[in-house]
Amino acid sequence: MSGITSIKMQNLDRFPQSKVISKNWQISKLPGLNAQEQAQLAQLGVSTTLQLLQQCQTTTQRQALATQLRVRVETVNKWVALANLARIPSVGCQYCGVLLHIGIISVAQLAQTPLHQLHQQVLRLQVTTTQRRDLCPSRSEMQVWINQARSLASHL
């Protein structure tokens, strides 16, 4: 890593964190839901990621939704984890699946993940699945993910 890049990345941690606003996505943008599941959720009044999070705050609520939709509760838990990660503006629906795939299941967990570990895991996933290093987001992008996750986690 060049000295300039290193200084820029170190400075990202020094700036005071402004409040980050949770991003809300149409449920159709969330990876891992087929058209039928999206339609079933819409019938229940769930058309956005924040609505999903609101209706699935407790284990009982997630179980009830799974029962209504006739899907496994693990499936609903996955959707909730994706929706939670997608709240981070710089992650969104584009990278929430990548984070979940490497084992990051919440905003709070991402906020606590060291940058070098996150970058290493995402790079390993990208190379394994696509055989291309150039598709991996940069360390500075991932630092923004972490900073925004810290901001969201501190305002819960």
Side-chain angles (χ1 to χ4, degrees):
M1 173 181 344
S2 73
I4 294 172
T5 304
S6 177
I7 291 169
K8 284 181 184 176
M9 285 175 37
Q10 290 170 358
N11 286 339
L12 287 172
D13 280 336
R14 290 191 193 131
F15 292 121
Q17 293 183 7
S18 58
K19 185 174 181 194
V20 175
I21 305 296
S22 288
K23 187 81 171 151
N24 192 17
W25 301 92
Q26 289 299 312
I27 209 76
S28 61
K29 301 279 185 199
L30 203 61
L33 281 94
N34 64 37
Q36 179 184 353
E37 293 162 339
Q38 293 170 27
Q40 289 176 310
L41 285 169
Q43 287 177 343
L44 298 174
V46 178
S47 60
T48 69
T49 53
L50 290 181
Q51 288 171 338
L52 177 65
L53 290 172
Q54 194 147 35
Q55 290 198 19
C56 292
Q57 293 179 14
T58 67
T59 304
T60 304
Q61 289 173 316
R62 289 190 293 275
Q63 183 63 56
L65 182 62
T67 301
Q68 281 183 292
L69 298 176
R70 294 191 177 113
V71 298
R72 297 173 57 215
V73 72
E74 292 83 3
T75 301
V76 173
N77 288 338
K78 180 180 100 174
W79 297 342
V80 170
L82 289 166
N84 185 27
L85 291 167
R87 293 186 312 122
I88 304 166
S90 57
V91 171
C93 293
Q94 181 178 3
Y95 294 114
C96 64
V98 170
L99 290 173
L100 189 63
H101 196 81
I102 65 166
I104 304 290
I105 62 168
S106 70
V107 170
Q109 184 182 1
L110 178 60
Q112 298 300 315
T113 303
L115 176 60
H116 70 277
Q117 178 184 334
L118 178 65
H119 185 262
Q120 183 180 55
Q121 289 175 317
V122 173
L123 180 61
R124 186 179 307 127
L125 175 65
Q126 289 289 6
V127 170
T128 301
T129 58
T130 66
Q131 269 71 67
R132 293 186 56 188
R133 296 177 71 89
D134 61 318
L135 296 178
C136 184
S138 68
R139 285 178 179 264
S140 59
E141 286 178 88
M142 291 184 202
Q143 184 65 62
V144 172
W145 298 354
I146 292 168
N147 289 347
Q148 288 182 349
R150 288 176 182 161
S151 178
L152 284 174
S154 70
H155 293 100
L156 292 177

